[in-house]
Structure formats: structure tokens, C-alpha cells
Amino acid sequence: MLTKRIIPCLDIKDGRTVKGTNFVDLRDAGDPVELGALYAQEGADELVFLDITATVDDRKTLVNLVREVARHVNIPFTVGGGISSIQDVSALLNAGADKVSINSSAVRNPDLIDELALQFGSQCIIVAIDTRLVDGKDWVHTHGGRKITEIQTIPWAKEVENRGAGEILLTSMDADGTKAGFANALTAHISTHASIPIIASGGAGSMEHFYEVFTDGKADAGLAASIFHFKEISIGDLKNYLSSKGIPMRI
Amino acid sequence: MDIAIVKYNAGNVASVMYALDRIGVKYQWTDDTSILQQADKVIFPGVGEASTAMAHLKEKGLDQLIPQLKQPVLATCIGMQLLCKHSEENDTTCMGVFDVEVKRFQSSDLKIPHVGWNSIRAIQDNPLMEGLKPEEFVYFVHSYYVPVNPFTTAECNYVQPFSAMLHRDNFYAAQFHAEISGMAGQRIIENFLAI
């Protein structure tokens, strides 16, 4: 049986793992290679590395980091942050990333999704959507959630699928950092209207929240960062809990 | 032991190379026909679309060479599909080592592609699954599948039972990505290298 996936996310800044609340107030959370290998050993189903600085100077650091991670990790991993061209993607895949995640650049230039899917295959192209509720509607945000766009979240999810995205990483900026649970209603709506997998992100604070996102939220995968980094929940315990509640898990 | 990874323009093989590094064996990534013929083991990876992949193989004459190889060959993902007779993906004639048709998943309720960790089960004597649990989880990403057939040595269930692994003579094939399938995937590669 196809299992639901548990994905720890490592936010990377200057080669270190960091975590803050609502994308600000960053705290150091450790060495990305060590953490990645540890998570893989604990039973993580995939890893996501998001480079939240992604300035030009940092790109080389990132590629080197990706290579180190790929050497030590035997599960799929995704790299995102500041990716805006075929060359960026090529460098990361050649360094050993299995997938890349694009966000602001896809909003700026939606054709990029088609181009990347054609060049590398949909299976390695994740489109990340940062969404926030403003005046009763869900709007796509870019630049780490700081900037609102004129695009609504639900039609955008459909569009990225039609353009060739292989998966959607949906982050609720309202829920992110709150530890009050995932945005289940929006996640469920997008997941039931999509034929590609939805990775839900933002708001995980307890094991029950993962249960809810897989049942009420109909997500294919649940992603979280701080609760794993700061060892509030261990991946092994979480997967055992979900399995005991009837959620298919790789144990 | 000389291990050769078939070099052609179908997806990135960095994960395959790092998996071999972790096992601690050396390899060459090559499209040189004489090196491929003389290698002790050949790995035929692949990511991407069937007709494009076949076109790249034909450019280098690899579509003729691969079916003639005599040493153990491990084909993964699209590599496995290319060893079949024909694929529904863009109506592509493939290499025909396995006389079966590659089909597209059709489902009204399950998502296509099939992405993630699913369990596989050996259904015949399968040296590649030696030392593994009767049901083992491995990582899949695909929209096309090989139906269960006389060459099937392990099956998986998504939409319906399909071939997770095939075997005929010196040809071994896996639909999933053993190179990123955790310790189970590593064991499958080690078992192949030990044949």
C-alpha cells in the first residue's frame, strides 16, 4: 500500500539549519548534513532543504552542501530556494538532488514550470505555494511569504499542475510557526482537485496534527521543521502513532 | 569488479553513483561500447520519457548493444520499461528483452503518477530480495507500469498489482529507485552486485 510521507524540512541559511516563526526571528538548528542523515536513519521518508538566503554568493555553498547531503543520505531529497533557471536546476540535480522546488520564480514566470518539466521530467519539479488568507480569500505569497501577489491559491494550484509540476508543496503562512495545526480545509480542497501529490506544510505542533492533515486534509505528505529539529516529536514515534491510527506508514 | 553505468541523456544519475559510493565499489559512467561489453556488471538507470530516452540510446547504438549484453544487467525505473517490448508512452518501440507491454495507469480515484513509498513482495525466487523482509518498502515515481507477467519476480499494488521487479536470464530490472530506497534499496543493489 502506498504510504503517507513524513518529510522534515531543513531551512538553510549560510550553510546552517535555522528555524524561526513566520519566516522571521531565526534560530540556529544545527548542521544540515548531520541532521539530514539522522532524519533518514530515524525513518524520514524524504528530506526538503530550503535555502532561505539564496543570494548569488551562496549558490556555490548550496551546491556543495547538496553534494555532501547526497553522499550521506539514502532517501529522496528536494532542494529549494532561489531557483530561477534551467542552469540552477541542472547544477542541483547533478550535485545529487532528486527534486527541486520552485516558488517565486514560477509566479514571476509560469512558463518556467513547463520548461523545467520538459527538460528534467515532472517527477523532479515541485512547485511550492506559500498562501495566506487576506480578506477572506487565499492568496499566493512570494519572497518567503513577505509579498502578496495578485494570484489566488486554488486556481494557481490547478495551473501549476497543468503546466507540469510533479508535486505541490503547500505552505499556509497563517499556520506556519503557530503549532496550531495544518490548514486542513484548504489542503483538502486542493488535494481532491489535483491528480498530483500535495505536501502540506505549516502549523504542525503535535502528532494529532499529522493525523488530521492525512484524514481531514487529504494530504499525501506532511512536512515540518521545528518540531523535529528541537526534538519535540521524534519521527519514529510519529510514524508509529500514525500507523496505530490506521494511516499507512513505512515503518 | 568492473561496474559500468550506461551513460545516455536520460535524467541524472548522481544518486546512483552516490549509492555505489556508499556501498564502497568503483564504477565507470560510460557510453563506450567496449567498456560496457567488458564490465562485470552493468547498471542501466533512467529518468524521463520513453521515446526521448530510446532516441538517445539509438544515437549511440546502445539500443542494439544492451539486449546483447551477457553479464548481469540491472535496469531501473524507465530503464526497466525500455527493456520491455513496447511502451504506451508516446507509442514507443523499446528493446524487447522482456516480451511485455508498458501501460499507463488509469484510475478515477487514485493519483497518477504513483509517487512515494510502497511495499513490494517477492513472488518468485528472487536473489535481489535476499535478506529483505517478505514485504519491503521502496520508493516509486512513475505513471506507466509493467503488468504482472511470467518475468515478474516482485509485485507492488497501485491501482492494480503490477511488476516491481523483472528477471530474465542475465537481465534484472526494478521499477522503483533502489538508489534512494533506504537500507532496503541498498541491500537490493548489494544483492545484484553479489550475483
Side-chain angles (χ1 to χ4, degrees), chain A residues 1-3 45 67 70-71 73-74 93 95 98-99 123 191 195-196 220 250, chain B residues 12 14-15 18 22 47 111-112 115 117-119 137 139 141 180-182:
Chain A
M1 191 174 207
L2 182 64
T3 61
D45 295 306
R67 192 172 291 119
R71 285 201 174 118
V73 165
N74 57 11
L93 295 181
D98 298 294
K99 314 178 195 182
Q123 83 291 333
S191 190
S195 79
I196 56 176
D220 299 283
R250 175 180 73 113
Chain B
N12 106 83
S15 295
Y18 290 136
R22 282 192 295 273
V47 174
K111 292 183 176 184
I112 313 294
V115 179
W117 296 81
N118 204 334
S119 54
F137 286 99
Y139 188 81
V141 187
I180 47 174
S181 288

PDB file of all heavy atoms in Angstrom, chain A residues 1-3 45 67 70-71 73-74 93 95 98-99 123 191 195-196 220 250, chain B residues 12 14-15 18 22 47 111-112 115 117-119 137 139 141 180-182:
ATOM      1  N   MET A   1       0.834  -1.198   0.000  1.00  0.00           N
ATOM      2  CA  MET A   1       0.000   0.000   0.000  1.00  0.00           C
ATOM      3  C   MET A   1       0.874   1.255   0.000  1.00  0.00           C
ATOM      4  O   MET A   1       1.856   1.320   0.723  1.00  0.00           O
ATOM      5  CB  MET A   1      -0.875  -0.004   1.251  1.00  0.00           C
ATOM      6  CG  MET A   1      -1.957   1.047   1.223  1.00  0.00           C
ATOM      7  SD  MET A   1      -3.045   0.855   2.645  1.00  0.00           S
ATOM      8  CE  MET A   1      -4.545   1.546   2.010  1.00  0.00           C
ATOM      9  N   LEU A   2       0.500   2.211  -0.830  1.00  0.00           N
ATOM     10  CA  LEU A   2       1.253   3.471  -0.887  1.00  0.00           C
ATOM     11  C   LEU A   2       1.107   4.176   0.460  1.00  0.00           C
ATOM     12  O   LEU A   2      -0.006   4.360   0.951  1.00  0.00           O
ATOM     13  CB  LEU A   2       0.712   4.354  -2.005  1.00  0.00           C
ATOM     14  CG  LEU A   2       1.447   5.681  -2.213  1.00  0.00           C
ATOM     15  CD1 LEU A   2       2.879   5.452  -2.653  1.00  0.00           C
ATOM     16  CD2 LEU A   2       0.721   6.545  -3.236  1.00  0.00           C
ATOM     17  N   THR A   3       2.227   4.579   1.043  1.00  0.00           N
ATOM     18  CA  THR A   3       2.175   5.179   2.371  1.00  0.00           C
ATOM     19  C   THR A   3       2.107   6.700   2.294  1.00  0.00           C
ATOM     20  O   THR A   3       2.478   7.303   1.290  1.00  0.00           O
ATOM     21  CB  THR A   3       3.425   4.784   3.189  1.00  0.00           C
ATOM     22  OG1 THR A   3       4.583   5.266   2.518  1.00  0.00           O
ATOM     23  CG2 THR A   3       3.524   3.279   3.345  1.00  0.00           C
ATOM     24  N   ASP A  45      10.774   9.924   5.350  1.00  0.00           N
ATOM     25  CA  ASP A  45      10.506   9.374   4.021  1.00  0.00           C
ATOM     26  C   ASP A  45      11.174  10.183   2.922  1.00  0.00           C
ATOM     27  O   ASP A  45      11.426   9.666   1.832  1.00  0.00           O
ATOM     28  CB  ASP A  45       9.000   9.304   3.787  1.00  0.00           C
ATOM     29  CG  ASP A  45       8.339   8.333   4.749  1.00  0.00           C
ATOM     30  OD1 ASP A  45       8.776   7.176   4.795  1.00  0.00           O
ATOM     31  OD2 ASP A  45       7.420   8.746   5.473  1.00  0.00           O
ATOM     32  N   ARG A  67      25.773  18.283  -2.457  1.00  0.00           N
ATOM     33  CA  ARG A  67      26.637  17.133  -2.767  1.00  0.00           C
ATOM     34  C   ARG A  67      26.939  16.345  -1.487  1.00  0.00           C
ATOM     35  O   ARG A  67      26.869  15.110  -1.480  1.00  0.00           O
ATOM     36  CB  ARG A  67      27.922  17.641  -3.434  1.00  0.00           C
ATOM     37  CG  ARG A  67      28.741  16.544  -4.056  1.00  0.00           C
ATOM     38  CD  ARG A  67      29.900  17.099  -4.871  1.00  0.00           C
ATOM     39  NE  ARG A  67      29.452  17.791  -6.073  1.00  0.00           N
ATOM     40  CZ  ARG A  67      29.665  19.079  -6.340  1.00  0.00           C
ATOM     41  NH1 ARG A  67      30.341  19.828  -5.493  1.00  0.00           N
ATOM     42  NH2 ARG A  67      29.218  19.609  -7.460  1.00  0.00           N
ATOM     43  N   ALA A  70      23.805  14.443  -0.435  1.00  0.00           N
ATOM     44  CA  ALA A  70      23.538  13.300  -1.323  1.00  0.00           C
ATOM     45  C   ALA A  70      24.468  12.136  -1.020  1.00  0.00           C
ATOM     46  O   ALA A  70      24.081  10.973  -1.126  1.00  0.00           O
ATOM     47  CB  ALA A  70      23.689  13.728  -2.780  1.00  0.00           C
ATOM     48  N   ARG A  71      25.681  12.434  -0.625  1.00  0.00           N
ATOM     49  CA  ARG A  71      26.630  11.370  -0.287  1.00  0.00           C
ATOM     50  C   ARG A  71      26.189  10.590   0.939  1.00  0.00           C
ATOM     51  O   ARG A  71      26.496   9.420   1.075  1.00  0.00           O
ATOM     52  CB  ARG A  71      28.017  11.965  -0.015  1.00  0.00           C
ATOM     53  CG  ARG A  71      28.720  12.388  -1.271  1.00  0.00           C
ATOM     54  CD  ARG A  71      30.226  12.473  -1.055  1.00  0.00           C
ATOM     55  NE  ARG A  71      30.871  12.754  -2.330  1.00  0.00           N
ATOM     56  CZ  ARG A  71      31.590  13.850  -2.577  1.00  0.00           C
ATOM     57  NH1 ARG A  71      31.780  14.736  -1.630  1.00  0.00           N
ATOM     58  NH2 ARG A  71      32.132  14.024  -3.757  1.00  0.00           N
ATOM     59  N   VAL A  73      22.936  10.511   2.380  1.00  0.00           N
ATOM     60  CA  VAL A  73      21.509  10.256   2.586  1.00  0.00           C
ATOM     61  C   VAL A  73      20.988   9.285   1.524  1.00  0.00           C
ATOM     62  O   VAL A  73      21.265   9.455   0.345  1.00  0.00           O
ATOM     63  CB  VAL A  73      20.747  11.600   2.514  1.00  0.00           C
ATOM     64  CG1 VAL A  73      19.269  11.375   2.351  1.00  0.00           C
ATOM     65  CG2 VAL A  73      21.023  12.430   3.759  1.00  0.00           C
ATOM     66  N   ASN A  74      20.236   8.249   1.966  1.00  0.00           N
ATOM     67  CA  ASN A  74      19.768   7.243   1.006  1.00  0.00           C
ATOM     68  C   ASN A  74      18.255   7.277   0.797  1.00  0.00           C
ATOM     69  O   ASN A  74      17.639   6.281   0.481  1.00  0.00           O
ATOM     70  CB  ASN A  74      20.228   5.844   1.442  1.00  0.00           C
ATOM     71  CG  ASN A  74      19.745   5.491   2.839  1.00  0.00           C
ATOM     72  OD1 ASN A  74      18.910   6.183   3.403  1.00  0.00           O
ATOM     73  ND2 ASN A  74      20.254   4.405   3.390  1.00  0.00           N
ATOM     74  N   LEU A  93      20.632  19.104  -9.559  1.00  0.00           N
ATOM     75  CA  LEU A  93      20.395  17.687  -9.857  1.00  0.00           C
ATOM     76  C   LEU A  93      21.727  16.962 -10.057  1.00  0.00           C
ATOM     77  O   LEU A  93      21.908  15.835  -9.599  1.00  0.00           O
ATOM     78  CB  LEU A  93      19.510  17.520 -11.096  1.00  0.00           C
ATOM     79  CG  LEU A  93      18.067  18.035 -10.977  1.00  0.00           C
ATOM     80  CD1 LEU A  93      17.302  17.774 -12.263  1.00  0.00           C
ATOM     81  CD2 LEU A  93      17.323  17.403  -9.807  1.00  0.00           C
ATOM     82  N   ALA A  95      24.447  17.648  -8.672  1.00  0.00           N
ATOM     83  CA  ALA A  95      25.098  17.504  -7.371  1.00  0.00           C
ATOM     84  C   ALA A  95      24.444  16.401  -6.541  1.00  0.00           C
ATOM     85  O   ALA A  95      24.975  16.028  -5.494  1.00  0.00           O
ATOM     86  CB  ALA A  95      25.070  18.820  -6.610  1.00  0.00           C
ATOM     87  N   ASP A  98      17.371  15.006  -5.775  1.00  0.00           N
ATOM     88  CA  ASP A  98      16.431  14.192  -6.547  1.00  0.00           C
ATOM     89  C   ASP A  98      15.318  15.040  -7.138  1.00  0.00           C
ATOM     90  O   ASP A  98      14.742  14.695  -8.164  1.00  0.00           O
ATOM     91  CB  ASP A  98      15.845  13.101  -5.658  1.00  0.00           C
ATOM     92  CG  ASP A  98      16.931  12.172  -5.158  1.00  0.00           C
ATOM     93  OD1 ASP A  98      17.521  11.477  -5.991  1.00  0.00           O
ATOM     94  OD2 ASP A  98      17.230  12.189  -3.944  1.00  0.00           O
ATOM     95  N   LYS A  99      14.986  16.144  -6.455  1.00  0.00           N
ATOM     96  CA  LYS A  99      13.938  17.042  -6.929  1.00  0.00           C
ATOM     97  C   LYS A  99      14.331  18.469  -6.583  1.00  0.00           C
ATOM     98  O   LYS A  99      15.139  18.684  -5.678  1.00  0.00           O
ATOM     99  CB  LYS A  99      12.592  16.752  -6.244  1.00  0.00           C
ATOM    100  CG  LYS A  99      12.194  15.298  -6.169  1.00  0.00           C
ATOM    101  CD  LYS A  99      10.873  15.142  -5.419  1.00  0.00           C
ATOM    102  CE  LYS A  99      10.655  13.695  -5.017  1.00  0.00           C
ATOM    103  NZ  LYS A  99       9.389  13.459  -4.329  1.00  0.00           N
ATOM    104  N   GLN A 123       8.637  14.551 -12.594  1.00  0.00           N
ATOM    105  CA  GLN A 123       8.886  13.851 -11.318  1.00  0.00           C
ATOM    106  C   GLN A 123       9.849  14.609 -10.418  1.00  0.00           C
ATOM    107  O   GLN A 123       9.860  14.401  -9.216  1.00  0.00           O
ATOM    108  CB  GLN A 123       9.366  12.418 -11.560  1.00  0.00           C
ATOM    109  CG  GLN A 123      10.853  12.240 -11.838  1.00  0.00           C
ATOM    110  CD  GLN A 123      11.282  12.805 -13.182  1.00  0.00           C
ATOM    111  OE1 GLN A 123      10.491  12.879 -14.105  1.00  0.00           O
ATOM    112  NE2 GLN A 123      12.532  13.217 -13.300  1.00  0.00           N
ATOM    113  N   SER A 191      -6.078  19.143  -2.693  1.00  0.00           N
ATOM    114  CA  SER A 191      -5.706  17.748  -2.922  1.00  0.00           C
ATOM    115  C   SER A 191      -6.781  16.979  -3.684  1.00  0.00           C
ATOM    116  O   SER A 191      -6.468  16.187  -4.583  1.00  0.00           O
ATOM    117  CB  SER A 191      -5.410  17.051  -1.591  1.00  0.00           C
ATOM    118  OG  SER A 191      -4.840  15.786  -1.817  1.00  0.00           O
ATOM    119  N   SER A 195      -4.445  15.861  -9.390  1.00  0.00           N
ATOM    120  CA  SER A 195      -4.058  14.464  -9.564  1.00  0.00           C
ATOM    121  C   SER A 195      -2.594  14.263  -9.179  1.00  0.00           C
ATOM    122  O   SER A 195      -2.073  13.163  -9.275  1.00  0.00           O
ATOM    123  CB  SER A 195      -4.319  13.998 -10.997  1.00  0.00           C
ATOM    124  OG  SER A 195      -3.300  14.455 -11.838  1.00  0.00           O
ATOM    125  N   ILE A 196      -1.922  15.337  -8.755  1.00  0.00           N
ATOM    126  CA  ILE A 196      -0.545  15.188  -8.278  1.00  0.00           C
ATOM    127  C   ILE A 196      -0.528  15.266  -6.748  1.00  0.00           C
ATOM    128  O   ILE A 196      -1.451  15.818  -6.148  1.00  0.00           O
ATOM    129  CB  ILE A 196       0.397  16.258  -8.893  1.00  0.00           C
ATOM    130  CG1 ILE A 196      -0.113  17.670  -8.620  1.00  0.00           C
ATOM    131  CG2 ILE A 196       0.576  16.016 -10.390  1.00  0.00           C
ATOM    132  CD1 ILE A 196       0.810  18.778  -9.112  1.00  0.00           C
ATOM    133  N   ASP A 220      -0.967  14.068   0.894  1.00  0.00           N
ATOM    134  CA  ASP A 220      -0.180  12.882   0.571  1.00  0.00           C
ATOM    135  C   ASP A 220       1.079  12.815   1.425  1.00  0.00           C
ATOM    136  O   ASP A 220       1.646  11.749   1.617  1.00  0.00           O
ATOM    137  CB  ASP A 220       0.193  12.905  -0.915  1.00  0.00           C
ATOM    138  CG  ASP A 220      -1.050  12.893  -1.777  1.00  0.00           C
ATOM    139  OD1 ASP A 220      -1.638  11.805  -1.915  1.00  0.00           O
ATOM    140  OD2 ASP A 220      -1.474  13.959  -2.264  1.00  0.00           O
ATOM    141  N   ARG A 250       5.455   3.828   6.204  1.00  0.00           N
ATOM    142  CA  ARG A 250       6.636   2.968   6.046  1.00  0.00           C
ATOM    143  C   ARG A 250       7.322   2.918   7.405  1.00  0.00           C
ATOM    144  O   ARG A 250       7.845   3.913   7.884  1.00  0.00           O
ATOM    145  CB  ARG A 250       7.586   3.569   5.013  1.00  0.00           C
ATOM    146  CG  ARG A 250       8.904   2.811   4.878  1.00  0.00           C
ATOM    147  CD  ARG A 250       9.794   3.457   3.836  1.00  0.00           C
ATOM    148  NE  ARG A 250      10.360   4.708   4.325  1.00  0.00           N
ATOM    149  CZ  ARG A 250      11.656   4.902   4.575  1.00  0.00           C
ATOM    150  NH1 ARG A 250      12.522   3.939   4.377  1.00  0.00           N
ATOM    151  NH2 ARG A 250      12.100   6.071   4.987  1.00  0.00           N
TER     152      ARG A 250
ATOM    153  N   ASN B  12      19.297  12.338 -14.303  1.00  0.00           N
ATOM    154  CA  ASN B  12      20.549  12.471 -13.581  1.00  0.00           C
ATOM    155  C   ASN B  12      20.847  11.178 -12.837  1.00  0.00           C
ATOM    156  O   ASN B  12      19.962  10.503 -12.334  1.00  0.00           O
ATOM    157  CB  ASN B  12      20.469  13.711 -12.684  1.00  0.00           C
ATOM    158  CG  ASN B  12      20.311  13.364 -11.248  1.00  0.00           C
ATOM    159  OD1 ASN B  12      21.283  13.090 -10.567  1.00  0.00           O
ATOM    160  ND2 ASN B  12      19.068  13.356 -10.787  1.00  0.00           N
ATOM    161  N   ALA B  14      23.392  11.005 -10.494  1.00  0.00           N
ATOM    162  CA  ALA B  14      24.211  11.277  -9.310  1.00  0.00           C
ATOM    163  C   ALA B  14      23.804  10.386  -8.140  1.00  0.00           C
ATOM    164  O   ALA B  14      24.666   9.846  -7.439  1.00  0.00           O
ATOM    165  CB  ALA B  14      24.095  12.754  -8.927  1.00  0.00           C
ATOM    166  N   SER B  15      22.493  10.192  -7.955  1.00  0.00           N
ATOM    167  CA  SER B  15      22.028   9.385  -6.822  1.00  0.00           C
ATOM    168  C   SER B  15      22.509   7.934  -6.945  1.00  0.00           C
ATOM    169  O   SER B  15      22.825   7.296  -5.940  1.00  0.00           O
ATOM    170  CB  SER B  15      20.500   9.388  -6.753  1.00  0.00           C
ATOM    171  OG  SER B  15      20.034  10.679  -6.474  1.00  0.00           O
ATOM    172  N   TYR B  18      26.252   7.930  -5.996  1.00  0.00           N
ATOM    173  CA  TYR B  18      26.469   8.061  -4.553  1.00  0.00           C
ATOM    174  C   TYR B  18      26.068   6.775  -3.825  1.00  0.00           C
ATOM    175  O   TYR B  18      26.692   6.397  -2.830  1.00  0.00           O
ATOM    176  CB  TYR B  18      25.696   9.261  -3.991  1.00  0.00           C
ATOM    177  CG  TYR B  18      26.257  10.589  -4.442  1.00  0.00           C
ATOM    178  CD1 TYR B  18      25.427  11.614  -4.875  1.00  0.00           C
ATOM    179  CD2 TYR B  18      27.631  10.813  -4.443  1.00  0.00           C
ATOM    180  CE1 TYR B  18      25.941  12.833  -5.295  1.00  0.00           C
ATOM    181  CE2 TYR B  18      28.160  12.025  -4.859  1.00  0.00           C
ATOM    182  CZ  TYR B  18      27.311  13.035  -5.285  1.00  0.00           C
ATOM    183  OH  TYR B  18      27.820  14.231  -5.702  1.00  0.00           O
ATOM    184  N   ARG B  22      28.459   4.694  -1.397  1.00  0.00           N
ATOM    185  CA  ARG B  22      28.157   4.288  -0.017  1.00  0.00           C
ATOM    186  C   ARG B  22      28.435   2.800   0.197  1.00  0.00           C
ATOM    187  O   ARG B  22      28.856   2.381   1.269  1.00  0.00           O
ATOM    188  CB  ARG B  22      26.700   4.625   0.352  1.00  0.00           C
ATOM    189  CG  ARG B  22      26.466   6.092   0.675  1.00  0.00           C
ATOM    190  CD  ARG B  22      25.097   6.323   1.322  1.00  0.00           C
ATOM    191  NE  ARG B  22      23.996   6.020   0.424  1.00  0.00           N
ATOM    192  CZ  ARG B  22      23.469   6.888  -0.450  1.00  0.00           C
ATOM    193  NH1 ARG B  22      23.922   8.117  -0.518  1.00  0.00           N
ATOM    194  NH2 ARG B  22      22.485   6.528  -1.227  1.00  0.00           N
ATOM    195  N   VAL B  47      15.653   8.159 -16.039  1.00  0.00           N
ATOM    196  CA  VAL B  47      14.573   9.016 -15.571  1.00  0.00           C
ATOM    197  C   VAL B  47      14.104   9.739 -16.813  1.00  0.00           C
ATOM    198  O   VAL B  47      14.919  10.105 -17.639  1.00  0.00           O
ATOM    199  CB  VAL B  47      15.089  10.053 -14.547  1.00  0.00           C
ATOM    200  CG1 VAL B  47      14.002  11.036 -14.183  1.00  0.00           C
ATOM    201  CG2 VAL B  47      15.623   9.371 -13.305  1.00  0.00           C
ATOM    202  N   LYS B 111      -4.285   9.011  -7.418  1.00  0.00           N
ATOM    203  CA  LYS B 111      -3.484   9.996  -8.141  1.00  0.00           C
ATOM    204  C   LYS B 111      -2.483   9.300  -9.072  1.00  0.00           C
ATOM    205  O   LYS B 111      -1.921   8.271  -8.736  1.00  0.00           O
ATOM    206  CB  LYS B 111      -2.739  10.881  -7.138  1.00  0.00           C
ATOM    207  CG  LYS B 111      -3.691  11.781  -6.348  1.00  0.00           C
ATOM    208  CD  LYS B 111      -2.965  12.706  -5.410  1.00  0.00           C
ATOM    209  CE  LYS B 111      -3.977  13.641  -4.742  1.00  0.00           C
ATOM    210  NZ  LYS B 111      -3.330  14.629  -3.879  1.00  0.00           N
ATOM    211  N   ILE B 112      -2.295   9.876 -10.224  1.00  0.00           N
ATOM    212  CA  ILE B 112      -1.301   9.420 -11.181  1.00  0.00           C
ATOM    213  C   ILE B 112      -0.384  10.625 -11.427  1.00  0.00           C
ATOM    214  O   ILE B 112      -0.918  11.678 -11.792  1.00  0.00           O
ATOM    215  CB  ILE B 112      -1.937   9.007 -12.526  1.00  0.00           C
ATOM    216  CG1 ILE B 112      -3.158   8.108 -12.323  1.00  0.00           C
ATOM    217  CG2 ILE B 112      -0.896   8.401 -13.461  1.00  0.00           C
ATOM    218  CD1 ILE B 112      -2.885   6.760 -11.744  1.00  0.00           C
ATOM    219  N   VAL B 115       3.544   8.109  -6.695  1.00  0.00           N
ATOM    220  CA  VAL B 115       4.737   8.714  -6.091  1.00  0.00           C
ATOM    221  C   VAL B 115       4.807   8.337  -4.619  1.00  0.00           C
ATOM    222  O   VAL B 115       3.834   8.545  -3.890  1.00  0.00           O
ATOM    223  CB  VAL B 115       4.692  10.262  -6.154  1.00  0.00           C
ATOM    224  CG1 VAL B 115       5.938  10.857  -5.503  1.00  0.00           C
ATOM    225  CG2 VAL B 115       4.562  10.753  -7.581  1.00  0.00           C
ATOM    226  N   TRP B 117       6.500   5.827  -1.202  1.00  0.00           N
ATOM    227  CA  TRP B 117       6.986   4.525  -0.721  1.00  0.00           C
ATOM    228  C   TRP B 117       5.840   3.531  -0.742  1.00  0.00           C
ATOM    229  O   TRP B 117       4.798   3.761  -0.150  1.00  0.00           O
ATOM    230  CB  TRP B 117       7.526   4.654   0.698  1.00  0.00           C
ATOM    231  CG  TRP B 117       8.728   5.543   0.818  1.00  0.00           C
ATOM    232  CD1 TRP B 117       8.719   6.906   0.887  1.00  0.00           C
ATOM    233  CD2 TRP B 117      10.091   5.141   0.860  1.00  0.00           C
ATOM    234  NE1 TRP B 117      10.013   7.369   0.981  1.00  0.00           N
ATOM    235  CE2 TRP B 117      10.872   6.314   0.975  1.00  0.00           C
ATOM    236  CE3 TRP B 117      10.748   3.894   0.830  1.00  0.00           C
ATOM    237  CZ2 TRP B 117      12.273   6.276   1.054  1.00  0.00           C
ATOM    238  CZ3 TRP B 117      12.127   3.871   0.918  1.00  0.00           C
ATOM    239  CH2 TRP B 117      12.877   5.053   1.022  1.00  0.00           C
ATOM    240  N   ASN B 118       6.060   2.415  -1.428  1.00  0.00           N
ATOM    241  CA  ASN B 118       5.056   1.363  -1.467  1.00  0.00           C
ATOM    242  C   ASN B 118       5.756   0.032  -1.204  1.00  0.00           C
ATOM    243  O   ASN B 118       6.965  -0.088  -1.399  1.00  0.00           O
ATOM    244  CB  ASN B 118       4.343   1.369  -2.828  1.00  0.00           C
ATOM    245  CG  ASN B 118       2.959   0.746  -2.767  1.00  0.00           C
ATOM    246  OD1 ASN B 118       2.684  -0.091  -1.901  1.00  0.00           O
ATOM    247  ND2 ASN B 118       2.083   1.162  -3.675  1.00  0.00           N
ATOM    248  N   SER B 119       4.976  -0.951  -0.755  1.00  0.00           N
ATOM    249  CA  SER B 119       5.598  -2.235  -0.401  1.00  0.00           C
ATOM    250  C   SER B 119       5.662  -3.157  -1.609  1.00  0.00           C
ATOM    251  O   SER B 119       4.764  -3.165  -2.448  1.00  0.00           O
ATOM    252  CB  SER B 119       4.823  -2.897   0.738  1.00  0.00           C
ATOM    253  OG  SER B 119       3.467  -3.002   0.396  1.00  0.00           O
ATOM    254  N   PHE B 137       9.470  -1.795   1.835  1.00  0.00           N
ATOM    255  CA  PHE B 137       9.086  -0.524   1.216  1.00  0.00           C
ATOM    256  C   PHE B 137      10.216   0.052   0.356  1.00  0.00           C
ATOM    257  O   PHE B 137      11.370   0.101   0.800  1.00  0.00           O
ATOM    258  CB  PHE B 137       8.700   0.504   2.284  1.00  0.00           C
ATOM    259  CG  PHE B 137       7.364   0.232   2.891  1.00  0.00           C
ATOM    260  CD1 PHE B 137       7.257  -0.409   4.113  1.00  0.00           C
ATOM    261  CD2 PHE B 137       6.200   0.605   2.222  1.00  0.00           C
ATOM    262  CE1 PHE B 137       6.012  -0.670   4.671  1.00  0.00           C
ATOM    263  CE2 PHE B 137       4.956   0.346   2.774  1.00  0.00           C
ATOM    264  CZ  PHE B 137       4.861  -0.292   3.999  1.00  0.00           C
ATOM    265  N   TYR B 139      10.951   3.212  -2.988  1.00  0.00           N
ATOM    266  CA  TYR B 139      10.451   4.500  -3.475  1.00  0.00           C
ATOM    267  C   TYR B 139      10.155   4.472  -4.983  1.00  0.00           C
ATOM    268  O   TYR B 139      11.027   4.171  -5.791  1.00  0.00           O
ATOM    269  CB  TYR B 139      11.477   5.594  -3.171  1.00  0.00           C
ATOM    270  CG  TYR B 139      10.952   6.981  -3.464  1.00  0.00           C
ATOM    271  CD1 TYR B 139      10.134   7.636  -2.550  1.00  0.00           C
ATOM    272  CD2 TYR B 139      11.249   7.618  -4.661  1.00  0.00           C
ATOM    273  CE1 TYR B 139       9.634   8.895  -2.821  1.00  0.00           C
ATOM    274  CE2 TYR B 139      10.754   8.880  -4.942  1.00  0.00           C
ATOM    275  CZ  TYR B 139       9.945   9.509  -4.017  1.00  0.00           C
ATOM    276  OH  TYR B 139       9.443  10.756  -4.289  1.00  0.00           O
ATOM    277  N   VAL B 141       8.369   6.486  -8.477  1.00  0.00           N
ATOM    278  CA  VAL B 141       7.828   7.679  -9.160  1.00  0.00           C
ATOM    279  C   VAL B 141       7.570   7.277 -10.602  1.00  0.00           C
ATOM    280  O   VAL B 141       8.515   7.169 -11.390  1.00  0.00           O
ATOM    281  CB  VAL B 141       8.819   8.856  -9.225  1.00  0.00           C
ATOM    282  CG1 VAL B 141       8.130  10.091  -9.795  1.00  0.00           C
ATOM    283  CG2 VAL B 141       9.417   9.183  -7.885  1.00  0.00           C
ATOM    284  N   ILE B 180      17.631   5.346  -3.888  1.00  0.00           N
ATOM    285  CA  ILE B 180      17.152   6.246  -2.834  1.00  0.00           C
ATOM    286  C   ILE B 180      16.052   5.573  -2.010  1.00  0.00           C
ATOM    287  O   ILE B 180      15.172   6.221  -1.475  1.00  0.00           O
ATOM    288  CB  ILE B 180      16.664   7.607  -3.402  1.00  0.00           C
ATOM    289  CG1 ILE B 180      15.755   7.411  -4.612  1.00  0.00           C
ATOM    290  CG2 ILE B 180      17.845   8.491  -3.744  1.00  0.00           C
ATOM    291  CD1 ILE B 180      15.124   8.706  -5.119  1.00  0.00           C
ATOM    292  N   SER B 181      16.116   4.226  -1.933  1.00  0.00           N
ATOM    293  CA  SER B 181      15.115   3.475  -1.181  1.00  0.00           C
ATOM    294  C   SER B 181      15.657   2.975   0.147  1.00  0.00           C
ATOM    295  O   SER B 181      15.393   1.843   0.564  1.00  0.00           O
ATOM    296  CB  SER B 181      14.588   2.302  -2.016  1.00  0.00           C
ATOM    297  OG  SER B 181      13.752   2.763  -3.056  1.00  0.00           O
ATOM    298  N   GLY B 182      16.421   3.819   0.829  1.00  0.00           N
ATOM    299  CA  GLY B 182      16.879   3.498   2.179  1.00  0.00           C
ATOM    300  C   GLY B 182      17.746   2.249   2.214  1.00  0.00           C
ATOM    301  O   GLY B 182      18.408   1.898   1.230  1.00  0.00           O
TER     302      GLY B 182
END
